[in-house]
């Protein structure tokens, strides 16, 4: 994907992970029942998106996304 497309994808993913983070605080692990893909699949996808969008790593938006992935999935994701 081109740079502008990646920006849009990242903005969408950041919005989603923020929402997951907020809901996780109130719903706990029951949150994962609301997704078609379970916790492990969500974790894998989110970590891979952080890596796939590495071209945007100089942007605060990318750093924030990867930081939320770490918070939500308690994982030491490299960015």
């Amino acid at each position: 994907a081109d740079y502008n497309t990646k920006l849009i994808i990242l903005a969408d993913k950041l919005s989603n992970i923020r929402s997951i983070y907020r809901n996780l605080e109130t719903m706990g692990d029951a949150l994962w029942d609301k997704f078609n893909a379970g916790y492990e699949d969500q974790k894998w996808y989110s970590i891979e998106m952080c890596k796939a969008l590495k071209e945007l790593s100089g942007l605060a938006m990318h750093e924030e996304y990867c930081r939320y992935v770490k918070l939500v999935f308690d994982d030491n994701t490299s960015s």
Side-chain angles (χ1 to χ4, degrees):
D2 68 21
Y3 187 82
N4 289 334
T5 301
K6 288 180 181 179
L7 284 174
I8 293 168
I9 291 168
L10 179 57
D12 177 60
K13 299 306 168 199
L14 178 56
S15 176
N16 292 346
I17 198 76
R18 285 174 176 161
S19 178
I20 289 170
Y21 181 77
R22 283 190 308 269
N23 288 319
L24 193 56
E25 289 182 325
T26 58
M27 297 178 68
D29 287 340
L31 169 69
W32 305 113
D33 296 335
K34 297 198 170 278
F35 292 92
N36 291 327
Y39 172 85
E40 289 299 326
D41 289 336
Q42 292 289 334
K43 178 179 176 178
W44 174 84
Y45 180 79
S46 297
I47 291 169
E48 290 305 311
M49 287 304 297
C50 184
K51 293 175 186 174
L53 296 169
K54 190 173 179 116
E55 175 186 350
L56 306 176
S57 65
L59 301 176
M61 185 168 51
H62 182 267
E63 301 306 316
E64 183 180 359
Y65 173 74
C66 294
R67 187 171 57 249
Y68 270 107
V69 169
K70 290 176 192 176
L71 288 170
V72 168
F73 297 105
D74 193 31
D75 191 289
N76 190 17
T77 307
S78 60
S79 51

